[in-house]
């Protein structure tokens, strides 16, 4: 048990009755345990760093893929707009062509009717 006062003059119960060499051995054991704990913590932190770097690399790759997809969508959108204009133009021309055919057929019908002798 640690005291609130780090400069306490009373001896703790953990060290009461122990000699100097016993106290040093106890301190050595505590420091060894702390070193092992720090080694484990260091290993965990190194693994977390590797995972963080791998996640960062994956995010970079995904961003590149998204950029490629976005470029493809932009190109497709532009082609779609161009083809839509082309279809509208063809539709307009076919409507005009249909009217010309109707006019020609009506003209032929008028000529035929005019050429038939009436009784």
């Amino acid at each position: 048990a640690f005291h609130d006062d780090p400069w306490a003059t009373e001896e703790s119960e953990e060290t009461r009755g122990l000699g100097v060499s016993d106290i040093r051995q106890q301190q050595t054991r505590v420091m060894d345990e702390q070193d092992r704990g720090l080694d484990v913590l260091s290993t965990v932190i190194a693994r977390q760093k590797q995972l963080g770097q791998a996640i960062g690399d994956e995010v970079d790759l995904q961003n590149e893929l998204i950029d490629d997809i976005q470029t493809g969508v932009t190109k497709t959108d532009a082609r779609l707009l161009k083809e839509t204009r082309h279809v509208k133009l063809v539709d307009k021309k076919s409507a005009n062509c249909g009217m010309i055919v109707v006019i020609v057929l009506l003209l032929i019908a008028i000529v035929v009717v005019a050429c038939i002798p009436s009784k």
Side-chain angles (χ1 to χ4, degrees):
F2 291 100
H3 297 282
D4 291 333
D5 182 6
W7 304 107
T9 55
E10 286 187 31
E11 191 173 352
S12 70
E13 289 188 28
E14 296 168 348
T15 59
R16 191 167 295 154
L18 297 178
V20 173
S21 67
D22 294 332
I23 292 173
R24 284 195 179 148
Q25 286 176 353
Q26 183 181 17
Q27 287 177 339
T28 302
R29 280 193 307 272
V30 168
M31 289 190 318
D32 288 345
E33 287 176 29
Q34 289 175 343
D35 285 346
R36 284 191 297 276
L38 289 173
D39 289 343
V40 169
L41 182 61
S42 175
T43 301
V44 169
I45 290 172
R47 180 68 181 138
Q48 292 296 320
K49 178 183 176 187
Q50 289 172 343
L51 288 172
Q53 288 172 337
I55 289 170
D57 292 345
E58 183 64 24
V59 167
D60 290 343
L61 177 64
Q62 294 295 324
N63 283 338
E64 288 177 22
L65 292 173
I66 289 170
D67 289 345
D68 290 346
I69 290 170
Q70 184 177 8
T71 300
V73 167
T74 301
K75 288 178 181 179
T76 302
D77 187 46
R79 286 196 317 241
L80 184 59
L81 289 173
K82 178 182 173 189
E83 292 304 319
T84 301
R85 286 192 298 270
H86 186 254
V87 167
K88 286 180 181 178
L89 181 63
V90 168
D91 185 44
K92 184 178 177 184
K93 285 183 179 181
S94 84
N96 289 341
C97 182
M99 290 195 156
I100 291 173
V101 170
V102 170
I103 291 170
V104 169
L105 288 176
L106 288 174
L107 184 60
I108 291 172
I110 291 171
V111 169
V112 169
V113 169
C115 291
I116 297 180
S118 58
K119 293 183 180 183

